[in-house]
Amino acid sequence: MKAKTAVKKPNIFVRMGRKLKEVFSELKKVTWPSFGKVLKATGVVIVVVVSFLVVFTLINFGLSEFLGYITKLG
């Protein structure tokens, strides 16, 4: 009967080095957006967040005033 020879894995540092090499090679293939596109997208995000902030603040204020009005009646 033949003895099975186990395939020995390389140590953790060799595996981490290989994985890091793969990550950097993939990052070289990425097409990064230009500064103008990033600035435009950031502006859109800020406008949307501020608009939601205003809407929810107004809703919160309105409901708070409504609750105050209801408690004064009782």
Side-chain angles (χ1 to χ4, degrees):
M1 189 179 283
K2 292 184 178 180
K4 291 185 179 181
T5 57
V7 178
K8 188 175 179 182
K9 287 195 309 188
N11 66 18
I12 184 81
F13 298 109
V14 173
R15 287 184 285 161
M16 283 176 26
R18 288 179 186 165
K19 192 65 173 174
L20 209 56
K21 195 182 230 184
E22 285 179 27
V23 168
F24 281 117
S25 70
E26 287 296 321
L27 281 176
K28 288 179 184 176
K29 298 176 187 177
V30 173
T31 55
W32 298 100
S34 66
F35 182 72
K37 286 184 180 180
V38 170
L39 207 58
K40 188 175 181 180
T42 302
V44 169
V45 168
I46 288 173
V47 166
V48 169
V49 167
V50 168
S51 64
F52 273 100
L53 175 75
V54 168
V55 168
F56 285 119
T57 301
L58 289 175
I59 290 172
N60 187 23
F61 179 74
L63 289 175
S64 174
E65 290 295 315
F66 181 67
L67 183 65
Y69 177 73
I70 290 176
T71 56
K72 284 182 183 177
L73 289 178

